[in-house]
Amino acid sequence: MAGLDLRNLVKAYGRTEVLHGISLHVDDGEFVVLVGPSGCGKSTTLRLIAGLDEPTSGDIEIADRNVNRLEPKDRNVAMVFQNYAIYPHMTVRKNIGFGLRTSRLPKREKEKRLEEVAAILEMTDLLERKPAQLSGGQRQRVAIGRAMVRDPDVFLFDEPLSNLDAQLRTLMRLEIKKLHQRVGNTIIFVTHDQVEAMTMADRIVIMNDGNILQAGTPSDVYYNPANRFVAQFIGAPSMNMLPGLVAPDGVRLRNGSTVDVRIDAREGRPVEVGVRPDDFILDGPDPFIEGTVVVREPLGHETLVYLETPAGELTAKAGGRTPPELGQRLALGADTASIHVFDASTGESVRRR
C-alpha cells in the first residue's frame, strides 16, 4: 500500500489545457472518489496516474517515488475499466491470473495468490466458468480480481459501475466498499454519479473544468460546500438558490421578505441564498417565501414537492403519507443554521458572522 501525491499537474492537448495545475494528497489506504460532470478532467487525471498518458507539467508521486518517467507496468498500480475488459474465451481463473502474466513469482505462489483473491471476492466456485456464464456483477468482480491479484500500491477505478443496472450498481457499491475495508489498499475511484461518491468515499474530490473545487469528507462537502457549483452538484435534488441582496438585517429576497442570516458582506451586494430541499420547513414559523405546488413526486417514505414561487421553481421534501395537494399554497422557511449564502458573481461561499 502507498500514498499518492499530485503536484501542480497540468495536461494540455495542443493549445487546449484540460487540467490546470491540480494538486492532491491521498493518504495510504484512503478511498478517494473523483467526481464531476463529463469533461471535468477526472478520467484524464486517472490516466496520468496510471501512466497511460503523460503530464504536460507537474509531478506524480506514488509511495514517495516520482513516477513521471515510469512505464505503467513499473508504477505498481492496477486499473479497473468501465467496460470490464475481460477475455471471453478464457475462464475466470485465467482472466484473473492474466494480471500476473509478467510477474516473476513462482507458479505455486501465483496459484496461491489467485485462490486468495477468488476467496475474497467469493468466486472460488466460479473459477472454471467463462464470462458468458456470469452475471454483470460477477464479470465486474473478475475485472477487480485481475487487478487485485497483482497486489498493487494503488487501485484505479474508471467509472466501473456505469454499465450496470440500478439494483446491481447498489450491490456493487457495497461490494467495493467491503473489499476496501478488508484489503485496505489505496483506491482512486472516478465517477460522475454523486450518490456513488457520497456512499463510497472516505474523501470526495469535486472537479469542474480541469480544476479541483473542493476536497473533503462526504459530510464536509454536503454541509459545508465551498461554492455554488459544489452545493448544487452534491445532493439530489440540487440545492435551491434564491437571489437577493445583503441588507442590514439579513438577505432581502426579490419578494421583499428577509432571510435572517448575517454575513460578512457590504450592504446591497448581490448574493444567492441556498437551501437544500430537506431543510425547507413547510408552513412553519418565520417563513420567507410562499409558493404553489405544481408537481409531486411520491417516493414512498417522502414526497418531492415542486413549487412555483417569486424566486422561480423551488424543490422541497414532504412526508410520504400526507403530502401537500396540487395547487396548494405553502409558506417556506428554514432553520438559520442550514442556510447557505453564495456570492452572486463568483459563486464562492460568503462567510457568516
Side-chain angles (χ1 to χ4, degrees), residues 1-5 24-32 153-154 180 184-188 202-203:
M1 293 189 293
L4 169 73
D5 278 289
L24 177 69
H25 172 74
V26 179
D27 286 331
D28 183 7
E30 192 175 16
F31 194 136
V32 169
D153 286 331
V154 179
H180 178 249
N185 291 68
T186 304
I187 292 180
I188 311 296
D202 294 329
R203 195 156 50 103

Side-chain angles (χ1 to χ4, degrees), residues 45-55 60 62 65-81 99 101-102 147 150-156:
T45 302
L46 210 67
R47 289 176 59 83
L48 293 176
I49 296 169
L52 303 177
D53 212 342
E54 295 182 1
I60 304 168
I62 300 173
R65 177 181 62 153
N66 190 297
V67 299
N68 281 35
R69 298 183 181 277
L70 294 183
E71 294 293 320
K73 64 183 177 65
D74 299 320
R75 297 189 180 201
N76 199 24
V77 300
M79 194 159 178
V80 179
F81 296 92
R101 72 193 187 286
T102 60
R150 295 177 51 196
D151 192 24
D153 286 331
V154 179
F155 279 109
L156 305 174

Side-chain angles (χ1 to χ4, degrees), residues 193-307:
D193 186 333
Q194 54 96 10
V195 175
E196 279 181 20
M198 291 289 288
T199 54
M200 299 175 73
D202 294 329
R203 195 156 50 103
I204 298 175
V205 177
I206 298 104
M207 299 183 67
N208 191 38
D209 292 334
N211 294 296
I212 292 175
L213 300 189
Q214 188 173 359
T217 65
S219 179
D220 243 352
V221 298
Y222 186 83
Y223 290 109
N224 301 296
N227 51 62
R228 179 174 52 211
F229 180 88
V230 173
Q232 294 198 288
F233 191 83
I234 297 296
S238 294
M239 182 182 288
N240 298 283
M241 293 294 174
L242 294 79
L245 300 172
V246 177
D249 52 349
V251 175
R252 188 74 46 81
L253 302 181
R254 286 178 180 171
N255 65 344
S257 64
T258 300
V259 181
D260 183 19
V261 55
R262 308 305 169 92
I263 57 176
D264 282 334
R266 62 173 174 79
E267 189 175 338
R269 179 179 176 181
V271 294
E272 291 181 297
V273 172
V275 184
R276 294 203 180 276
D278 321 55
D279 293 324
F280 269 133
I281 300 170
L282 308 184
D283 285 340
D286 303 319
F288 47 76
I289 198 165
E290 289 188 352
T292 303
V293 178
V294 292
V295 178
R296 299 184 307 177
E297 287 186 348
L299 300 176
H301 67 292
E302 64 185 11
T303 299
L304 294 181
V305 180
Y306 298 86
L307 304 104

Side-chain angles (χ1 to χ4, degrees), residues 173-192:
R173 285 204 309 257
L174 182 60
E175 289 298 318
I176 293 173
K177 189 68 177 175
K178 285 180 179 177
L179 174 65
H180 178 249
Q181 290 170 351
R182 284 198 298 267
V183 300
N185 291 68
T186 304
I187 292 180
I188 311 296
F189 189 104
V190 161
T191 182
H192 64 273

